[in-house]
Amino acid sequence: MTSITEQFDKVLSGAPGDLGPFYKQALEESPVFWSEAAGGWIVSRYSDMKTVLADRESFGPLLEGKGSTSIYGRNILHMDGIEHRRKDAFIAKHIRNRKLLSDSQENYIRTLCKELVDELPLGDPIDLKSRFTTPMPLIVTAWIMDMEEATGFRTTYDRMVAASTSNQSGDPDILRDGLEAIGELHEVITPRLMERRSEPGEDYISTLCEGEYEGAPISDAEILSSSMFLLAAGVETTDRALANLLRILISEPELWIALQANRDLLLPALAEGLRFCPPVHAINRATKKDAFIGNQEIPAGSKVLLLLAAANRDPEIFNEPDRFSLDRFSENAEAQFSANATVLSFSHDTHFCTGSLLAKLEMIEGMNLLLDTYSRIEWTETPPEEEGYILRGVRSLPVKLQTN
């Protein structure tokens, strides 16, 4: 039988397929193990993961090395304590503001979804990912930043993301390409940053330009890194979450029909999608001092890779974890998009994803419109498989759209 470390090497390659069997084996046989390829300790058990994410004395951000987000420059992921809380508030003003979410952002997203759907042909082969699930969050994020030109750099974001957390093996060619992509984005964002320094508006970059921490303004370098991270994270989460869920719903038409008949199941379905086929399968942490994870001692300064997708299938927490269930979260779906979530796809504790409510709004509006518009969606090619790691999802959704 192939060892758990050999299997994980294959997982890191991002090959297409179902990772459920690997996660099951890791949970049962080696909930904490060392990976030479990743250069760190791999953790899969739910209880261990929550401990690591909540223990701020023993564990902190991974600041450098394979799979770190250092490629962006210093940003919110690299901060802890008071600095993290205060600077996270600048971001939350734009993507976790309940007044905006229920007013201007909801209206904008609803209108945008309608415009995108109106352009989709009926009965002809299309890629629903490139025509809908990708452009929708990209346009929304660019709107929040007041940078319409940012929508023209989708492949640049892909190159940048591939060179950060997804580059767990530290491939130098991928890193080099990612750094080139970041240079290209600097050229796009810097003029807008300079403009907002002198004439601030109501957008995200303006808020950072006017922001201070400990009496000093936020540096240009930090604003650049925060802006690039928002562009990447703001698109990837919603795009992959929607596309991965649609893959299941298209492959099992009875689920599509059930959602059309009972829209109360939509939010639970979104929550189950985050658990069963999340956009982000793992996140990095690092030990600040010698620490234990379960019975395994981890030396200070070690990289720790938390397999969120494995924890989401821990049978100690979730009944029949390898089964997709529309109504699994029928009693607590809303909580899965908050810091009280059982599902760990948005992380946990102080590093819970600030953009979870915006992602929820985008997914609700997008799915409601698709369900209202199309009686069925059919594959025109062999259904795609999820691929990639740490970010994982389908490359395309080759379908044709049908109405009654």
Side-chain angles (χ1 to χ4, degrees):
M1 187 176 188
T2 307
S3 71
I4 197 70
T5 54
E6 290 174 319
Q7 288 200 55
F8 188 62
D9 289 350
K10 294 178 182 178
V11 169
L12 285 179
S13 74
D18 177 16
L19 297 187
F22 165 75
Y23 289 144
K24 185 174 188 292
Q25 183 182 351
L27 285 162
E28 291 176 351
E29 298 178 10
S30 302
V32 182
F33 65 90
W34 171 261
S35 168
E36 193 66 39
W41 295 91
I42 314 303
V43 180
S44 59
R45 189 160 46 202
Y46 187 97
S47 59
D48 291 338
M49 215 162 295
K50 291 195 76 172
T51 297
V52 170
L53 291 168
D55 183 354
R56 293 185 288 278
E57 291 187 4
S58 302
F59 302 92
L62 179 69
L63 300 179
E64 59 184 4
K66 294 179 178 180
S68 75
T69 54
S70 60
I71 188 172
Y72 297 109
R74 193 168 188 271
N75 61 68
I76 196 71
L77 294 182
H78 306 138
M79 302 170 192
D80 264 333
I82 293 174
E83 183 184 19
H84 180 274
R85 289 197 298 274
R86 290 184 178 174
K87 290 185 176 178
D88 188 54
F90 295 136
I91 304 172
K93 177 180 178 180
H94 293 275
I95 63 175
R96 204 174 182 83
N97 183 319
R98 291 184 183 273
K99 185 177 185 303
L100 290 177
L101 286 164
S102 63
D103 188 9
S104 59
Q105 289 179 352
E106 181 180 278
N107 292 334
Y108 181 85
I109 293 169
R110 185 170 296 169
T111 300
L112 172 62
C113 287
K114 181 69 165 56
E115 291 173 355
L116 291 172
V117 164
D118 284 347
E119 295 177 358
L120 300 178
L122 286 175
D124 295 331
I126 64 162
D127 175 11
L128 191 58
K129 188 174 190 298
S130 66
R131 298 287 294 272
F132 186 76
T133 71
T134 298
M136 185 261 283
L138 176 56
I139 294 170
V140 171
T141 304
W143 173 67
I144 288 171
M145 297 181 68
D146 191 22
M147 280 190 62
E148 184 178 349
E149 63 271 28
T151 60
F153 290 82
R154 181 68 182 93
T155 57
T156 309
Y157 307 142
D158 288 340
R159 291 160 56 208
M160 177 176 67
V161 169
S164 58
T165 54
S166 292
N167 192 18
Q168 290 291 322
S169 63
D171 186 304
D173 292 332
I174 293 175
L175 178 60
R176 190 179 305 111
D177 188 51
L179 289 170
E180 290 178 2
I182 282 178
E184 294 166 15
L185 289 175
H186 277 191
E187 293 180 2
V188 175
I189 299 171
T190 298
R192 185 56 55 90
L193 192 164
M194 296 298 102
E195 179 184 316
R196 293 300 184 242
R197 282 286 193 203
S198 57
E199 297 181 23
E202 299 296 322
D203 57 279
Y204 173 75
I205 293 178
S206 294
T207 295
L208 294 181
C209 286
E210 293 183 303
E212 292 186 353
Y213 178 68
E214 294 185 337
I218 299 175
S219 69
D220 289 354
E222 190 173 313
I223 293 174
L224 281 169
S225 63
S226 296
S227 298
M228 288 188 298
F229 179 70
L230 179 62
L231 282 166
V235 177
E236 294 290 349
T237 302
T238 299
D239 178 17
R240 292 176 189 269
L242 263 181
N244 291 349
L245 176 61
L246 282 165
R247 170 184 169 273
I248 293 173
L249 299 179
I250 297 167
S251 296
E252 302 182 42
E254 67 277 8
L255 298 179
W256 186 263
I257 293 170
L259 285 176
Q260 286 183 314
N262 183 3
R263 215 56 65 88
D264 288 342
L265 288 173
L266 178 56
L267 193 57
L270 294 175
E272 176 71 339
L274 287 172
R275 183 197 72 84
F276 189 80
C277 48
V280 180
H281 275 237
I283 58 173
N284 297 304
R285 301 296 281 167
T287 47
K288 295 180 176 180
K289 60 183 182 180
D290 292 350
F292 277 89
I293 302 180
N295 296 322
Q296 178 66 55
E297 185 173 10
I298 312 293
S302 297
K303 171 182 170 180
V304 177
L305 186 61
L306 305 177
L307 305 188
L308 302 176
N312 285 341
R313 295 196 181 206
D314 191 330
E316 293 295 319
I317 307 299
F318 302 101
N319 186 43
E320 295 185 86
D322 294 324
R323 181 176 69 88
F324 181 90
S325 173
L326 276 185
D327 60 357
R328 183 184 300 273
F329 296 104
S330 58
E331 300 298 322
N332 60 347
E334 193 73 43
Q336 305 314 312
F337 297 85
S338 76
N340 297 319
T342 309
V343 172
L344 295 181
S345 298
F346 286 126
S347 191
H348 174 65
D349 202 68
T350 58
H351 282 273
F352 185 82
C353 177
T354 309
S356 63
L357 295 183
L358 178 60
K360 181 186 76 169
L361 177 60
E362 291 171 330
M363 289 189 283
I364 286 174
E365 293 299 327
M367 283 300 305
N368 264 326
L369 188 58
L370 292 176
L371 288 163
D372 287 342
T373 307
Y374 305 112
S375 58
R376 64 189 183 279
I377 302 177
E378 300 173 350
W379 296 117
T380 57
E381 302 175 14
T382 302
E385 293 186 285
E386 293 179 19
E387 57 185 280
Y389 214 79
I390 297 297
L391 296 170
R392 191 166 178 84
V394 295
R395 285 184 180 270
S396 63
L397 292 169
V399 300
K400 61 180 179 179
L401 308 167
Q402 305 289 343
T403 59
N404 290 322

